[in-house]
Amino acid sequence: MKVGVIGAGTMGSGIAQAFAQSAEVETVYLCDIKQEFAEGGKARIAKGLNGRVAKGKMTQEAADEIINKIQAGLNTQCVDADLIVEAALEVMGVKQKTFKELQEEIVKNPNCIYASNTSSLSITEISKPLNTPVIGMHFFNPAPVMKLVEVNAGYTTPQEDVAKVVEIAEKLGKTPVQVKEAPGFVVNRILIPMINEGIFILHEGTSSIEGIDTAMKLGANHPMGPLELGDLVGLDICLYIMETLYDETDDSKYRPCPLLRKMVRANHLGRKTGIGFYRYNEDGTKTPVDELGF
Ligand code: CAA
């Protein structure tokens, strides 16, 4: 199977690695709007794999095999793809335009399946201007490790595509869960409001950054606290999902915390910008951000 992954950011490169790790996958086209962005994604994957080699968790041969399957380039390399997984910007127009170009100008395989990794946008609306409707194939960060794939059918998604994507997810060693179209699907509908609530608790001065994270790790057995998880997901993505939940439902329970908005405006987006609720140090450690005043 040949897979095109559109977008070489955190999710796109993680998804590319998840596919390249599978014996079922021959080639992964990791694509972005500029060659250097795609190369950057591939370099990030290589860095992570080399780190595992250094720790003795993987052989150099196995790491090389994964890396050699990944071809970094522009979307135009996806000519013979069997599956496209789009993980580009969470902007409806960008997704629609990207799929339209792929379907009408680039991909020559008539049986190619078009999937989006969107974290909350409507699959039906993404499909609206397209000849071939898309399906949601939603991975979780870090994509090479997290077991779940939400398989989201839009109103027009053919049932046979659902069955094929479920099978592909299983072949990757993931557990697929089928979900009908709804804002945030299952996981983000629950998880992102929880992160937003953690930010409200901080904003109100109820506890400190580390206090809130420790409380949820030890009191609810979560692997990460809500604020460090927000930093992992990206605070811009968290805000975007809260806004989508709010806009789609008109329910005030989904209002984003003002502190989340402020941090996104300051470009303090979490791990990807080196600072969010924590400052991420060169040596891999992290320290809570005192300037927040808590
Ligand atoms: N890429 C690849 N591998 C990674 C990785 C990454 N970014 N981060 C960790 N790993 C691997 C490690 O190499 C390690 O593998 P081995 O056991 O083979 O060595 C394994 O994952 C465990 O990592 P660590 O031992 O370093 O740390 P950990 O045990 O604390 O686990 C974690 C790290 C998996 C991230 C864990 O803390 C966790 O599950 N956190 C919650 C993550 C979560 O909730 N994600 C969902 C976010 S929501 C989302 O993504 C949806 C959306 O649309 C916004």
Side-chain angles (χ1 to χ4, degrees):
M1 181 169 56
K2 294 182 177 174
V3 182
V5 178
I6 312 298
T10 311
M11 283 312 287
S13 47
I15 293 167
Q17 182 181 334
F19 277 105
Q21 282 172 184
S22 165
E24 302 281 333
V25 175
E26 191 186 321
T27 308
V28 179
Y29 302 119
L30 179 57
C31 310
D32 214 310
I33 49 169
K34 285 191 180 169
Q35 180 71 31
E36 69 246 43
F37 295 167
E39 301 281 1
K42 184 171 173 179
R44 208 166 28 245
I45 298 168
K47 193 175 165 204
L49 291 172
N50 290 334
R52 301 200 68 214
V53 172
K55 286 186 198 154
K57 294 197 166 176
M58 182 181 244
T59 64
Q60 189 65 56
E61 265 179 351
D64 290 346
E65 198 186 323
I66 295 169
I67 277 297
N68 291 339
K69 280 191 200 177
I70 301 173
Q71 293 183 21
L74 306 180
N75 294 5
T76 44
Q77 62 176 335
C78 294
V79 180
D80 57 352
D82 301 296
L83 169 71
I84 299 282
V85 181
E86 171 278 324
L89 290 183
E90 285 286 272
V91 177
M92 183 58 74
V94 171
K95 292 195 189 292
Q96 289 174 329
K97 184 167 176 280
T98 303
F99 279 117
K100 210 167 165 48
E101 274 172 13
L102 284 160
Q103 292 186 1
E104 292 178 9
E105 293 165 33
I106 298 171
V107 179
K108 301 296 173 217
N109 174 3
N111 300 318
C112 180
I113 296 176
Y114 296 88
S116 175
N117 178 59
T118 183
S119 46
S120 60
L121 290 176
S122 159
I123 299 296
T124 309
E125 196 174 344
I126 297 174
S127 303
K128 208 168 161 186
L130 306 176
N131 296 329
T132 308
V134 303
I135 182 166
M137 188 175 191
H138 187 210
F139 290 80
F140 293 82
N141 191 359
V145 179
M146 300 293 284
K147 287 285 178 206
L148 179 67
V149 171
E150 280 179 333
V151 179
N152 310 310
Y155 196 74
T156 51
T157 305
Q159 197 49 44
E160 70 234 46
D161 284 3
V162 175
K164 281 186 200 154
V165 170
V166 162
E167 194 186 327
I168 292 169
E170 282 167 349
K171 284 184 176 159
L172 293 184
K174 305 288 188 193
T175 302
V177 168
Q178 289 187 48
V179 182
K180 288 188 186 142
E181 179 153 316
F185 314 120
V186 173
V187 173
N188 285 340
R189 166 92 175 268
I190 297 172
L191 196 64
I192 306 299
M194 185 201 71
I195 293 171
N196 191 50
E197 204 58 37
I199 303 171
F200 266 117
I201 292 170
L202 179 71
H203 188 57
E204 289 159 8
T206 306
S207 189
S208 65
I209 294 170
E210 281 179 312
I212 293 164
D213 280 342
T214 303
M216 287 306 287
K217 278 190 283 194
L218 301 187
N221 252 2
H222 288 192
M224 299 174 99
L227 303 180
E228 53 180 340
L229 184 55
D231 276 1
L232 174 75
V233 168
L235 298 180
D236 52 339
I237 305 287
C238 293
L239 178 59
Y240 190 77
I241 295 169
M242 287 309 295
E243 283 173 337
T244 304
L245 288 168
Y246 187 83
D247 292 346
E248 289 273 330
T249 60
D250 270 340
D251 191 332
S252 64
K253 76 178 175 188
Y254 296 120
R255 72 208 182 285
C257 178
L259 176 59
L260 173 61
R261 275 194 200 288
K262 233 190 294 186
M263 291 176 74
V264 172
R265 284 179 185 141
N267 207 37
H268 287 204
L269 306 182
R271 287 195 194 193
K272 62 183 162 190
T273 55
I275 186 165
F277 293 103
Y278 294 85
R279 184 172 277 108
Y280 294 87
N281 307 314
E282 290 282 317
D283 61 4
T285 59
K286 67 181 195 306
T287 36
V289 174
D290 294 334
E291 298 92 288
L292 286 171
F294 303 100

